[in-house]
Amino acid sequence: MELELDIQLKEKDLYRFNLFQTYTSSQGIVSIVIAILGVVMAAISFQNGSMSYGVLYVVISVVILLYIPISLRGRVKLTLKNNEVLAGVLHYHFSEKEIRVTSGEDSGELPWKQIYKMIDTKHNVLIYSGRRNAYVLPKDQIGDNYALLKELAEKSLEPHRVKLR
């Protein structure tokens, strides 16, 4: 059983991956908690009649909530501009033995036993080779091959490493 896919990462695909990585990590959770605390403090300040502190807390909360997505958008644009491999077409060859990724004349193999985990999000399938590094496969480019990809992953990986719906 084998599967071949050609993947062209778009800005939105890499951006969604980075948002997912950030907001499922401690940094994302802490930023959301701080923003919520800021809103609570703003409400308390407004109730106590301190408009200037209330506005300050609201501004701080908005800045905290907007900083991460805006900075990630800029980082994604820069990454795709400076990284020819990610900006180009990546050819994936899935076999029962390994995953081979080819970009131009460069090629690399990832044996199934070295995959940390394989999950899907709303828009992407993520193949983690470590805790932070992943191959991003947009579902709209996988198309009808999703079932075959899932079958290969379930056959080749331990059950706790596969979280595909």
Side-chain angles (χ1 to χ4, degrees):
M1 177 175 359
E2 294 186 357
L3 171 64
E4 296 198 27
L5 297 171
D6 286 323
I7 301 294
Q8 171 76 52
L9 279 180
K10 298 180 183 114
E11 189 177 306
K12 66 178 182 176
D13 302 319
L14 200 52
Y15 179 67
R16 288 175 178 155
F17 167 70
N18 283 329
L19 277 179
F20 177 80
Q21 283 289 97
T22 300
Y23 284 111
T24 56
S25 72
S26 59
Q27 175 192 5
I29 294 167
V30 167
S31 68
I32 291 171
V33 169
I34 290 172
I36 290 170
L37 288 174
V39 170
V40 169
M41 292 301 295
I44 291 170
S45 295
F46 287 136
Q47 284 180 347
N48 291 337
S50 179
M51 296 299 275
S52 58
Y53 280 116
V55 170
L56 179 64
Y57 286 127
V58 168
V59 169
I60 289 172
S61 297
V62 169
V63 167
I64 288 171
L65 284 177
L66 293 179
Y67 173 75
I68 291 174
I70 290 171
S71 67
L72 287 178
R73 173 102 34 213
R75 192 177 311 157
V76 163
K77 285 182 182 184
L78 193 61
T79 299
L80 287 178
K81 180 181 175 185
N82 294 332
N83 191 323
E84 294 176 16
V85 173
L86 287 179
V89 176
L90 296 168
H91 180 77
Y92 289 85
H93 179 261
F94 296 87
S95 68
E96 293 181 16
K97 179 181 164 190
E98 66 188 6
I99 300 171
R100 177 174 292 125
V101 184
T102 308
S103 174
E105 295 190 17
D106 296 327
S107 181
E109 292 82 26
L110 180 65
W112 285 102
K113 65 182 177 183
Q114 289 183 356
I115 293 177
Y116 179 69
K117 66 181 174 179
M118 191 167 172
I119 64 171
D120 70 354
T121 63
K122 184 176 182 182
H123 299 284
N124 297 321
V125 171
L126 306 175
I127 304 170
Y128 283 88
S129 58
R131 289 184 180 267
R132 303 276 308 153
N133 300 323
Y135 295 94
V136 179
L137 305 174
K139 284 184 177 178
D140 61 349
Q141 294 183 46
I142 296 172
D144 296 335
N145 293 314
Y146 183 82
L148 181 57
L149 178 62
K150 180 180 177 184
E151 185 179 337
L152 265 168
E154 289 174 343
K155 185 176 183 179
S156 303
L157 294 172
E158 299 163 3
H160 69 278
R161 297 195 185 277
V162 181
K163 296 200 175 27
L164 301 176
R165 293 175 234 143

